[in-house]
Amino acid sequence: FVALPEDAATPTFQSDTEELYVCQDYTISKQILESGDLERTFQTLTGKNREDLEVIQTAQETHDRYDFVWTSAGEEGLQLGRACILDDGNYHYTLTTMTREESFDEVRETIQDMFDSCKLLDLDVNLSTGS
């Protein structure tokens, strides 16, 4: 459901519903969560309530899409997070990236390309195939 960059060739962690990639200057997380409780999904991805985020909601063909960014303090300084949720009514397909503030300009284009490619191609989304 997303085209990953070349430096995310192999997941660091993988389960039936989640993949985590640790790249040089950022991390990528892909998760499939049950639909129905959007507030819970925002909390899971960011630790924040939806009302504390500036969320852009759009319609993509047969599903809703929610895009948002946030910051958080990390061990190595300020972390910039970006995420999207694709809601087909059954599942929340999520893509999340985190990068250190000082590295963001170097990976901005890579992250933008990933989020531009994030789409549901059919109802049988499988994390391991990337479709």
Side-chain angles (χ1 to χ4, degrees):
F1 83 106
V2 63
L4 295 174
E6 289 181 16
D7 61 344
T10 306
T12 304
F13 169 82
Q14 186 172 8
S15 72
D16 290 341
T17 59
E18 183 176 6
E19 291 179 2
L20 176 67
Y21 300 83
V22 178
C23 304
Q24 182 174 344
D25 293 315
Y26 58 100
T27 60
I28 303 165
S29 174
K30 295 175 10 180
Q31 290 180 285
I32 300 174
L33 305 168
E34 286 188 36
S35 184
D37 188 347
L38 196 56
E39 183 65 30
R40 182 192 72 232
T41 299
F42 282 107
Q43 280 280 336
T44 299
L45 298 179
T46 68
K48 298 179 183 291
N49 296 319
R50 180 180 180 175
E51 64 195 29
D52 297 327
L53 302 164
E54 288 199 35
V55 179
I56 298 171
Q57 180 179 353
T58 56
Q60 273 191 339
E61 299 179 26
T62 60
H63 58 278
D64 291 325
R65 178 177 174 140
Y66 304 87
D67 287 277
F68 48 99
V69 296
W70 72 99
T71 59
S72 62
E75 292 177 12
E76 299 178 15
L78 191 62
Q79 298 281 312
L80 304 177
R82 180 171 177 182
C84 77
I85 301 168
L86 306 176
D87 183 357
D88 70 357
N90 295 309
Y91 296 99
H92 291 158
Y93 301 91
T94 70
L95 173 66
T96 307
T97 61
M98 293 295 293
T99 186
R100 291 185 325 271
E101 179 183 36
E102 63 271 4
S103 301
F104 184 73
D105 285 339
E106 298 165 21
V107 298
R108 177 190 311 258
E109 187 175 325
T110 300
I111 290 173
Q112 184 62 47
D113 290 346
M114 246 190 319
F115 280 91
D116 287 347
S117 77
C118 191
K119 297 178 174 57
L120 290 183
L121 302 177
D122 58 44
L123 295 179
D124 294 324
V125 173
N126 183 331
L127 281 176
S128 62
T129 64
S131 58

